[in-house]
Amino acid sequence: MTDYFDLIKQRESCRNYLDKQVEKEKLIACIEACRIAPSSCNGQPWKFIVVNNKELSIKVAKCLQDLGMNKFTDKCPSFIIVLEEKGDIKARIGGTIKNQDYSSIDIGIATAHLCLAATEQGLSTCIMGWFNEKKLKNLLDIAVSKRIRLVISIGYSADTKLRKKVRKSMDEILQFIE
Ligand SMILES: Cc1cc2nc3c(=O)[nH]c(=O)nc-3n(C[C@H](O)[C@H](O)[C@H](O)COP(=O)(O)O)c2cc1C
């Protein structure tokens, strides 16, 4: 098992995939990591669609490429589509009172779990917020009333070296009060 701090350093967005199918068990393990993620009032406002089919994955990729974006997905074998479901009633009322979008926070946490579970299993991911929601719903027969919040590409990376992480400095993000 990888040390947590090594694992989070190993995770990076992959935009270069090998032509290699992903094992079904590994994808299910990623969803298990989402299933046990925390959420506001334990509302679990999510559903996941896993596409692990070569022909369909090519069609999913086309839904992610508006304005020439995300072209790399043509070579990605699998995708996970994250749908927002109605959260717990208490979480929704609380969110309205506190002016907070708890469902988005919950989905972000579950997605982080997913990407780290993938990394632990030797897989690589890229979270994508840029997709043609209407086209994707049409392709996957998802009800018009549903919201697709994220799409995650997942597969084996063709890159052999990790990139340097470009991040704000600790000084810029931390206020430490003692
Ligand atoms: C909500 C969200 C949406 C993103 N959308 C895209 C996207 O559509 N296409 C893409 O190539 N990367 C996308 N990314 C990946 C970010 O660009 C990436 O996480 C960031 O640059 C940091 O790099 P790293 O993931 O390699 O550490 C997205 C990331 C998040 C969290």
Side-chain angles (χ1 to χ4, degrees), residues 11-15 64 69-70 72 126-131 150 163 165-167:
R11 188 224 52 85
E12 66 177 12
S13 294
C14 174
R15 300 183 180 88
L64 315 172
M69 293 278 285
N70 295 330
F72 70 90
C126 185
I127 302 167
M128 281 169 285
W130 183 264
F131 49 83
L150 290 169
R163 295 187 301 272
K165 292 214 182 296
V166 181
R167 295 295 191 265

Side-chain angles (χ1 to χ4, degrees), residues 1-11 116 119-120 162 165:
M1 206 161 90
T2 323
D3 170 80
Y4 175 72
F5 289 97
D6 287 338
L7 186 66
I8 56 175
K9 278 183 209 150
Q10 273 170 35
R11 188 224 52 85
L116 291 175
T119 307
E120 173 64 22
L162 290 174
K165 292 214 182 296

Side-chain angles (χ1 to χ4, degrees), residues 27-56:
L27 293 167
I28 303 281
C30 288
I31 305 303
E32 174 61 11
C34 297
R35 198 181 69 80
I36 62 172
S39 58
S40 173
C41 296
N42 204 17
Q44 306 160 67
W46 49 56
K47 274 217 172 117
F48 305 90
I49 299 176
V50 178
V51 175
N52 193 28
N53 170 290
K54 228 174 180 175
E55 287 80 52
L56 190 56

Side-chain angles (χ1 to χ4, degrees), residues 75-94:
K75 280 182 24 194
C76 183
S78 308
F79 294 95
I80 299 174
I81 290 87
V82 186
L83 298 175
E84 179 174 341
E85 291 291 311
K86 264 199 178 147
D88 176 90
I89 181 78
K90 289 198 293 305
R92 279 190 282 142
I93 293 170

